[in-house]
Amino acid sequence: MPKTSKSNASETVEMEGYEGHLEKFEGGYTVSFEKYTADADLTEFFKGLPNDQCQAAHWGYVLTGKVTYKTASGDETYEAGDAYYVPPGHTPVLHAGTEIVEFSPTEQLQQTLDVVGKNMEAAT
């Protein structure tokens, strides 16, 4: 059975305010070890996706800090010690000092990240 950790995940993404270590598992899921070092509302980067929102579901656990997801039915904030499920149709708000572990369907996550990446490049 596959396993990974923050220190040996095969992909690392670093940018101002964000550090992520990702591993794609057979069976179609990606695990992400994420750390936020700056507050950021990422809504603008989801433009172009259906309803301008993330189309991947996420199952996660907040190790430290908090993370907020904005949805059509309102905002939901998860804090240290919370396990959570966020269905497709949301945008994230990151809070400095937060670390999470999150699992997402790889295909939907990659489709979302492709659009977010293009929008981030265009903004710089």
Side-chain angles (χ1 to χ4, degrees):
M1 291 187 283
K3 70 175 184 174
T4 193
S5 67
K6 181 178 177 178
S7 63
N8 70 6
S10 63
E11 183 179 349
T12 297
V13 177
E14 293 185 59
M15 62 185 72
E16 188 174 334
Y18 174 85
E19 177 185 318
H21 303 274
L22 296 84
E23 185 69 46
K24 295 175 182 168
F25 286 144
E26 290 181 29
Y29 282 86
T30 296
V31 61
S32 304
F33 301 88
E34 300 183 355
K35 181 179 181 179
Y36 313 137
T37 57
D39 293 342
D41 182 339
L42 302 182
T43 300
E44 68 179 278
F45 299 115
F46 290 80
K47 301 288 185 201
L49 290 162
N51 297 320
D52 297 329
Q53 296 175 317
C54 179
Q55 298 302 299
H58 307 290
W59 293 261
Y61 182 77
V62 183
L63 299 167
T64 62
K66 64 184 179 179
V67 61
T68 300
Y69 291 94
K70 295 165 47 173
T71 70
S73 59
D75 297 356
E76 187 73 39
T77 299
Y78 303 100
E79 298 183 12
D82 289 343
Y84 60 87
Y85 167 72
V86 179
H90 62 270
T91 56
V93 177
L94 313 182
H95 301 277
T98 297
E99 290 192 60
I100 65 170
V101 177
E102 197 167 76
F103 298 84
S104 309
T106 298
E107 185 176 335
Q108 291 86 356
L109 178 63
Q110 191 59 57
Q111 290 170 351
T112 295
L113 292 177
D114 289 346
V115 171
V116 169
K118 288 178 186 175
N119 288 337
M120 288 181 146
E121 285 178 22
T124 57

